[in-house]
Structures are given as structure tokens and as C-alpha cells.
């Protein structure tokens, strides 16, 4: 399910300072007739300026600023990090290659254990 996450699912707003996340389906939906007209979940992620290092809006802004143009063209959220940090901090931190299914599964599993 994580691999299906797309950049376009995050909509940036400035007033108020937030992102709106729009879910594209869910693994909990079987797709039967009873769920035919269900609306996708919409979650608002508000800025918390006093907690900047952990503020999700700040972190998403930072992440999106470090993605190459390919991420937005292909609507890919998870890209492979570069082997070495770029010499110029304004350059992308990620290669234009999506993270593999197995690698993403391993990372998510490790994160959930912490």
C-alpha cells in the first residue's frame, strides 16, 4: 500500500499553513457493491511552527524541495536516495528511481519497530 503513495495526494495550502492528504483507496476496502460510492479519506496536516524539527508540514516541504523533477512528472513519492549527498544543498537528494517494493517493505518494517 505504501508504494502506491503519490506526490499528487498532498495538496499544499498557505492560509492556513497546511497540507491536505487525499487517500486513493485503501487496503481495508474490498471493493464490493457496498463500497462502490465511498469517498476517499481526507486528512488535514496543520503546521506546528513551535515544533519545527518535527512539524509534518515543515518535513513535507523539505522532502518535496529535495526531490528531482521526475518525482512530480511521474507522481512518485518514494525515490531512492543518492549514494552521496550533493555538493550543492539546493540540488536534489534523490535519484529519479522509485524505491523498490522489497526495500520499501523493509524500511517500513524497521520504522515500525522503533
Amino acid at each position: 500500500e505504501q508504494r502506491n503513495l503519490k506526490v499528487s495526494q498532498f495538496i499544499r495550502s498557505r492560509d492556513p499553513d497546511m497540507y491536505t492528504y487525499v487517500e486513493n483507496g485503501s487496503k481495508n476496502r474490498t471493493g464490493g457493491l457496498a463500497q462502490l460510492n465511498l469517498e476517499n479519506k481526507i486528512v488535514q496536516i496543520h503546521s506546528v511552527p513551535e515544533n519545527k524539527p518535527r512539524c509534518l508540514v515543515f518535513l513535507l516541504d523539505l522532502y518535496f524541495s529535495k526531490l528531482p523533477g521526475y518525482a512530480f512528472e511521474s507522481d512518485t513519492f518514494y525515490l531512492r536516495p543518492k549514494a552521496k549527498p550533493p555538493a550543492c544543498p539546493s540540488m536534489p537528494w534523490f535519484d529519479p528511481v522509485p524505491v523498490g517494493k522489497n526495500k520499501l517493505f523493509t524500511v517500513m518494517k524497521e520504522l515500525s519497530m522503533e
Side-chain angles (χ1 to χ4, degrees), residues 1-11 20-29 38-43 75 77:
E1 184 176 318
Q2 288 293 324
R3 188 150 161 81
N4 296 330
L5 196 60
K6 306 218 176 290
V7 171
S8 63
Q9 290 177 265
F10 295 88
I11 302 160
T20 302
Y21 166 74
V22 181
E23 176 189 49
N24 285 342
S26 172
K27 69 178 180 183
N28 296 325
R29 295 187 189 175
L38 286 180
E39 301 218 1
N40 289 329
K41 186 188 308 183
I42 297 174
V43 178
D75 205 13
F77 189 81

Side-chain angles (χ1 to χ4, degrees), residues 6 19-20 25 46-47 50 54 62 68 76 92 94 98-99 104 113:
K6 306 218 176 290
Y19 275 94
T20 302
H46 292 273
S47 177
E50 59 273 6
R54 291 178 165 238
L62 178 64
T76 305
F94 300 88
V99 172
L104 187 58
M113 301 288 254

Side-chain angles (χ1 to χ4, degrees), residues 64-93:
F64 289 142
S65 75
K66 302 303 178 183
L67 291 175
Y70 169 84
F72 302 96
E73 294 163 10
S74 65
D75 205 13
T76 305
F77 189 81
Y78 293 109
L79 295 180
R80 186 175 65 198
K82 290 190 173 287
K84 294 183 202 172
C88 178
S90 64
M91 296 298 293
W93 291 1

